[in-house]
Amino acid sequence: KNIWRDEVQVVNLKDLAKLPPGMDVEPETLKQAGLVASARKPIKLLGSGDITRPYKLHAIALSESAREKIISAGGEIVE
């Protein structure tokens, strides 16, 4: 096992349906919803699934397909 490897927590786009619409999505929000184990470890949102509600994402890495789907649903990405 590589001790220098960063363990990235993966969340799929379809999992955001568990959150209220229009919510600001941050690492702590995902932890409280039970979607990740730790708010301190890196999180990456993948584009598996579809969303119809807009979300505002903060401090979360995104795949290109997830970025496109969030913007097309009226969401916002804050880098």
Side-chain angles (χ1 to χ4, degrees):
K1 186 173 180 174
N2 184 352
I3 61 170
W4 305 111
R5 180 178 154 196
D6 286 333
E7 293 290 330
V8 177
Q9 302 173 97
V10 175
V11 177
N12 287 311
L13 203 56
K14 64 184 175 188
D15 296 331
L16 293 184
K18 298 176 183 176
L19 303 174
M23 179 175 220
D24 283 3
V25 180
E26 301 173 330
E28 189 59 39
T29 309
L30 295 175
K31 182 178 182 328
Q32 290 173 355
L35 297 175
V36 296
S38 172
R40 295 178 184 213
K41 291 183 180 178
I43 299 169
K44 183 160 188 175
L45 185 65
L46 301 181
S48 177
D50 291 317
I51 61 167
T52 56
R53 300 183 275 184
Y55 293 99
K56 187 174 184 178
L57 282 88
H58 300 270
I60 298 173
L62 302 165
S63 69
E64 196 59 40
S65 62
R67 180 180 301 275
E68 292 170 4
K69 290 178 182 181
I70 289 165
I71 292 172
S72 68
E76 186 180 344
I77 301 163
V78 179
E79 305 273 344

